[in-house]
């Protein structure tokens, strides 16, 4: 007999600024865009940061052309859920490596935007079954956790700090990191009222979806399946699940 999934706890929404750091354009839309629409609708400020531009994501399109297409699609997609700031770090798609270099560019983003919450994608080895996660997702998620702590230490990546126009200040104000779509999720947020916006934001990645060659694939059906499963564990129609990582000491 299958084990009944445990209930999910509501996320703490007592915050004002969030930074979403993911590996590729479309990553947010495959799991968290409806949640973002909820939060921007509450008046919260949300910034997207794409570590790569997804330039290796369409087999029939050369990377330079693909980069332009996917950045344009991401900007339009973000606008649908109320996000008007999208940073592209233009790191190499498909071959990201966890390490100091990746931590540095993400720490700079944290220092630049000074968020209360940082959101990333699932970086566990799988999605909860036998399907393996993608290497860039794993590298970015791991680097996000470390970069958030790096950002608060003025002696780490000190070259980013200074009084000039590009100078940054340490930022240790991130309370939690949330990883959406994690098989270890313990929390969720109700996306019933913003589910349609999440669907439309995924549809905005039309060139990428077409390039995948998934015959008869329906973005609404895909998102509905995941959102209903999480919603049943939260006690609502639709929800987005998150694994929560406190950034304080001793928690």
């Amino acid at each position: 007999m299958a084990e009944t999934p445990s209930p999910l706890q509501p996320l703490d929404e007592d915050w004002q600024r969030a930074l979403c750091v993911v590996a590729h354009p479309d990553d947010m839309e495959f799991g968290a865009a409806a949640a973002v629409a909820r939060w921007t609708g509450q008046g919260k400020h949300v910034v997207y940061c794409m570590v790569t531009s997804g330039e290796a994501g369409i087999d029939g399109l050369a990377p330079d052309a693909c980069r332009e297409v996917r950045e344009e699609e991401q900007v339009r997609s973000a606008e649908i859920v109320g996000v008007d700031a999208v940073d592209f770090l233009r790191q190499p798609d498909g071959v990201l490596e966890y390490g100091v270099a990746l931590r540095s560019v993400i720490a700079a983003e944290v220092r630049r935007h000074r968020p209360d919450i940082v959101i990333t994608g699932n970086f566990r080895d799988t999605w909860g079954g036998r399907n393996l996660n993608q290497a860039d997702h794993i590298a970015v998620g791991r680097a996000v956790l470390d970069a958030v702590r790096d950002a608060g230490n003025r002696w780490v990546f000190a070259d980013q700090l200074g009084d000039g126009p590009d100078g940054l200040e340490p930022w240790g104000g991130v309370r939690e990191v949330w990883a959406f779509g994690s098989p270890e999720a313990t929390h969720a947020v109700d996306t019933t009222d913003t589910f349609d916006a999440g669907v439309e934001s995924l549809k905005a990645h039309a060139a990428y979806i077409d390039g995948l060659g998934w015959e008869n694939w329906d973005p609404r059906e895909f998102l509905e399946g995941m959102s209903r499963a999480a919603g049943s564990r939260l006690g609502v129609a639709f929800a987005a699940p998150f694994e929560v990582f406190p950034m304080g000491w001793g928690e």
Side-chain angles (χ1 to χ4, degrees):
M1 185 173 179
E3 184 178 342
T4 302
S6 60
L8 294 169
Q9 299 300 312
L11 282 172
D12 179 4
E13 295 182 286
D14 183 20
W15 52 271
Q16 287 301 314
R17 299 177 63 83
L19 173 66
C20 303
V21 183
V22 292
H24 316 106
D26 80 74
D27 283 354
M28 289 297 299
E29 289 68 43
F30 271 97
V36 171
R38 171 188 171 97
W39 295 323
T40 59
Q42 294 171 344
K44 301 183 192 303
H45 180 70
V46 181
V47 173
Y48 279 6
C49 171
M50 306 291 123
V51 176
T52 81
S53 296
E55 68 275 9
I58 301 177
D59 185 68
L61 199 58
D64 286 345
C66 186
R67 178 182 297 107
E68 183 175 349
V69 168
R70 299 203 66 194
E71 288 187 0
E72 289 176 356
E73 288 190 336
Q74 182 60 70
V75 169
R76 289 198 300 271
S77 177
E79 290 173 348
I80 291 169
V81 293
V83 175
D84 58 11
V86 184
D87 293 347
F88 296 96
L89 303 187
R90 294 184 174 171
Q91 300 300 299
D93 184 21
V95 291
L96 292 178
E97 291 184 293
Y98 168 80
V100 172
L102 187 55
R103 284 166 48 192
S104 176
V105 294
I106 296 173
E109 282 290 288
V110 174
R111 287 169 168 172
R112 183 171 296 112
H113 294 292
R114 305 174 77 79
D116 307 307
I117 300 294
V118 172
I119 295 163
T120 191
N122 172 36
F123 55 92
R124 299 297 185 178
D125 289 342
T126 73
W127 298 96
R130 298 179 63 184
N131 289 335
L132 294 175
N133 200 350
Q134 196 264 352
D136 286 353
H137 299 159
I138 296 171
V140 167
R142 289 182 59 204
V144 164
L145 289 182
D146 289 333
V148 164
R149 289 173 291 191
D150 295 335
N153 187 333
R154 71 172 57 254
W155 308 120
V156 176
F157 308 131
D159 58 306
Q160 297 174 359
L161 309 180
D163 298 327
D166 298 323
L168 301 171
E169 289 296 324
W171 177 247
V174 177
R175 302 197 320 240
E176 294 178 333
V177 173
W178 298 348
F180 64 83
S182 170
E184 303 295 329
T186 54
H187 292 68
V189 63
D190 184 354
T191 56
T192 305
D193 293 340
T194 53
F195 177 77
D196 287 344
V199 172
E200 292 306 310
S201 72
L202 179 53
K203 287 181 177 179
H205 293 277
Y208 176 65
I209 293 171
D210 183 63
L212 291 173
W214 293 347
E215 187 175 357
N216 300 321
W217 186 77
D218 185 340
R220 177 175 293 274
E221 181 179 359
F222 175 82
L223 291 175
E224 194 168 292
M226 295 192 306
S227 299
R228 281 194 187 280
S232 68
R233 297 173 64 190
L234 189 65
V236 299
F238 295 135
F242 292 83
E243 184 173 3
V244 173
F245 298 88
M247 289 292 107
W249 291 98
E251 296 186 56

